[in-house]
Amino acid sequence: MVIDKPGYEHLIQFLAENLSLFEQAGTPRLDNKSVGEFLEECIAEQIIQLCTQHTELEMNHRSVIIREVDGIMYDFQEVLSSVLEKPVTEEQAEIINEVALLIKNLFDNAVADLFD
């Protein structure tokens, strides 16, 4: 659905290019969540919103989306493995939010292609 698309490859590349931001020390956010926790929450929020917005999705479509999100999380955890347990900073949170929105956008486009 999206993992095999060029947009996803660009997203992984974007994350890898910004890896230095995750390796820098910074002031943790007040909620004191780890990079991994914040990443999971942001992506989950976007996928919930995706499924809520696209009421035409059938159960099998939703299952494919969930499997792909699992794969995405695996890839991101591999890229960010050295910093997953560190507290997320505001700058890192901004990048993670942007990435989560881009993931939703990839799925929005894929869903639109399903029903065209």
Side-chain angles (χ1 to χ4, degrees):
M1 185 173 256
V2 300
I3 290 179
D4 60 345
K5 303 291 189 240
Y8 181 69
E9 292 175 27
H10 294 294
L11 190 57
I12 294 291
Q13 184 178 355
F14 172 76
L15 189 61
E17 288 170 357
N18 286 287
L19 190 57
S20 63
L21 176 67
F22 290 91
E23 294 169 344
Q24 299 171 5
T27 305
R29 289 169 38 109
L30 294 178
D31 60 15
N32 220 18
K33 291 181 180 173
S34 70
V35 169
E37 290 171 325
F38 192 78
L39 177 66
E40 287 177 15
E41 284 180 11
C42 287
I43 292 175
E45 283 176 16
Q46 292 304 317
I47 297 306
I48 290 168
Q49 187 174 5
L50 172 85
C51 291
T52 302
Q53 288 174 337
H54 295 283
T55 56
E56 71 277 15
L57 286 172
E58 297 174 8
M59 186 58 71
N60 62 328
H61 297 132
R62 292 171 194 259
S63 295
V64 169
I65 290 169
I66 297 304
R67 278 194 303 275
E68 291 226 351
V69 169
D70 283 344
I72 290 168
M73 285 304 302
Y74 178 81
D75 290 345
F76 284 17
Q77 288 170 342
E78 286 291 311
V79 172
L80 298 172
S81 63
S82 64
V83 297
L84 283 175
E85 299 304 319
K86 293 183 180 180
V88 69
T89 66
E90 285 298 332
E91 296 82 9
Q92 294 164 348
E94 287 177 25
I95 291 287
I96 291 171
N97 274 320
E98 186 175 339
V99 166
L101 288 168
L102 291 169
I103 290 169
K104 182 183 179 292
N105 188 42
L106 288 173
F107 278 107
D108 280 331
N109 292 332
V111 168
D113 289 345
L114 279 176
F115 297 105
D116 279 347

